């Protein structure tokens, strides 16, 4: 009864039709949004088409269809919406996200954080693998300004570069080289504009 009251209260505040639903067995389902804020590249199968609805229904794992791997950076502003149950754990959420993006890296490399805004400050707290995110969403309400979920690297120390293959490491070097060139161009443009303003002033 207490959960039902909380769900009814939650649904009155929902503005995007993403309601929570109570099941007969006492569990409930709903939606959470996860922001992907990964600073390091992820490993995915090379040359694999995006997952189709047919693949999802048949639970086809496209990552198993090729042994070739490549690495790239996920956009920092990427957001994924997940439909989960009240029994879905943080560990299952992480695995589900990696599967949706076809990331083949070890799930232990990642962690789910809750982001809370208090007194103008943004606070991050790493969630235990056994925590149930939907329950936290229910308690906080649907407003993502009060509580949001973020997937980040599991900071357990320095990166174990020995765990990566030679092609992956070479790909990292190519990415870093491109980033370095982009940064150099940005700095050059910045000072070129500054130089032009000084010349105009003189």
């Amino acid at each position: 009864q207490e959960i039902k009251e909380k769900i009814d209260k939650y649904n009155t505040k929902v503005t995007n039709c993403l309601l929570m639903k109570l099941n007969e067995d006492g569990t409930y389902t709903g939606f959470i949004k996860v922001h992907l804020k990964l600073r390091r590249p992820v490993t995915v199968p090379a040359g694999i088409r995006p997952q189709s609805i047919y693949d999802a229904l048949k639970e086809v794992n496209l990552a198993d269809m090729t042994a070739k791997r490549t690495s790239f950076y996920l956009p920092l502003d990427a957001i994924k919406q997940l439909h989960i149950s009240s029994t879905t754990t943080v560990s299952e959420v992480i695995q589900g996200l990696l599967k949706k993006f076809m990331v083949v890296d070890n799930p232990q490399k990642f962690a789910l954080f809750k982001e809370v805004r208090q007194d103008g400050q943004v606070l991050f707290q790493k969630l235990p693998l056994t925590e149930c995110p939907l329950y936290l969403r229910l308690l906080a309400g649907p407003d993502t300004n009060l509580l949001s979920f973020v997937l980040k690297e599991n900071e357990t120390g320095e990166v174990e570069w020995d765990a990566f293959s030679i092609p992956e490491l070479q790909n990292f070097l190519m990415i870093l080289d491109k980033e370095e060139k982009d940064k150099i161009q940005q700095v050059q443009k910045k000072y070129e504009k500054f130089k032009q303003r000084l010349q105009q002033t003189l």
Side-chain angles (χ1 to χ4, degrees), residues 81-122:
Q81 192 164 268
L82 297 175
H83 184 253
I84 63 174
S85 163
S86 56
T87 59
T88 305
T89 63
V90 165
S91 177
E92 291 168 333
V93 167
I94 293 173
Q95 292 177 40
L97 282 169
L98 298 183
K99 186 176 180 181
K100 282 183 179 293
F101 284 96
M102 291 191 291
V103 175
V104 295
D105 289 305
N106 191 325
Q108 293 180 354
K109 291 182 179 181
F110 307 92
L112 192 68
F113 291 76
K114 70 174 182 179
E115 180 182 322
V116 181
R117 299 176 187 274
Q118 289 180 349
D119 303 323
Q121 290 185 320
V122 180

Side-chain angles (χ1 to χ4, degrees), residues 1-7 10 20-22 26-33 82-90 92-93 112 114 127-128 130-143 147-149:
Q1 184 62 30
E2 183 182 350
I3 290 294
K4 183 180 184 305
E5 290 174 1
K6 288 183 182 296
I7 290 175
Y10 179 96
M20 287 201 188
K21 180 182 177 183
L22 182 64
T27 61
Y28 50 96
T29 56
F31 296 85
I32 62 168
K33 286 183 179 180
L82 297 175
H83 184 253
I84 63 174
S85 163
S86 56
T87 59
T88 305
T89 63
V90 165
E92 291 168 333
V93 167
L112 192 68
K114 70 174 182 179
L127 296 174
T130 54
E131 183 72 82
C132 296
L134 193 61
Y135 181 65
L136 298 178
R137 179 81 278 159
L138 177 62
L139 293 180
D143 189 353
L147 170 74
S148 58
F149 297 104

Side-chain angles (χ1 to χ4, degrees), residues 3 7 29 37 39 44 62-63 71 90 96 102 107 115 125 134 139 143 149 158-159 162 172 180 184 189 195:
I3 290 294
I7 290 175
T29 56
K37 295 183 179 179
R39 294 182 290 106
V44 297
L62 296 176
S71 301
V90 165
M102 291 191 291
E115 180 182 322
Q125 181 183 347
L134 193 61
L139 293 180
D143 189 353
F149 297 104
E158 290 296 317
V159 181
D162 292 341
F172 293 160
E180 182 183 31
I184 290 172
K189 287 180 181 178
K195 182 180 177 181

